[in-house]
Amino acid sequence: MSLSHVFTPIRIADVEIPNRIARSAHGTAFSWGPLTQRHIDYHLARARGGVGLTFLEAASTHPTGLPSLASLDDSIIDEYRKLMDAIRPT
């Protein structure tokens, strides 16, 4: 059985994924608030390790939400932008 297709790109709508290696969402519990540099470094390490598609962890959208990652207002946009810029394939 050949697994060579695992390392070939795949297109999902208008996005090309560099390979077929995906990492499912899971909680990191790095903070009880917004994305941090620790989150960015964590996801960047996995992208550099070869993960082609990452699903981020759950995020709360209300202060009473349970997940540790808080996405409560537009103040999170810049941190998500930093994350995407860091892990985007080149």
Side-chain angles (χ1 to χ4, degrees), residues 20-69:
R20 295 157 193 237
I21 301 169
R23 194 170 62 84
S24 64
H26 60 277
T28 59
F30 288 158
S31 70
W32 292 96
L35 273 171
T36 64
Q37 187 61 46
R38 187 173 179 194
H39 287 101
I40 294 170
D41 294 343
Y42 177 82
H43 293 294
L44 179 58
R46 276 116 197 107
R48 286 182 175 158
V51 171
L53 178 64
T54 293
F55 293 90
L56 298 180
E57 62 193 277
S60 59
T61 57
H62 189 271
T64 61
L66 294 176
S68 60
L69 189 59

Side-chain angles (χ1 to χ4, degrees), residues 33-35 70-81:
L35 273 171
S71 296
L72 305 179
D73 56 42
D74 287 351
S75 67
I76 56 128
I77 293 172
D78 286 338
E79 294 307 311
Y80 275 101
R81 188 171 285 126

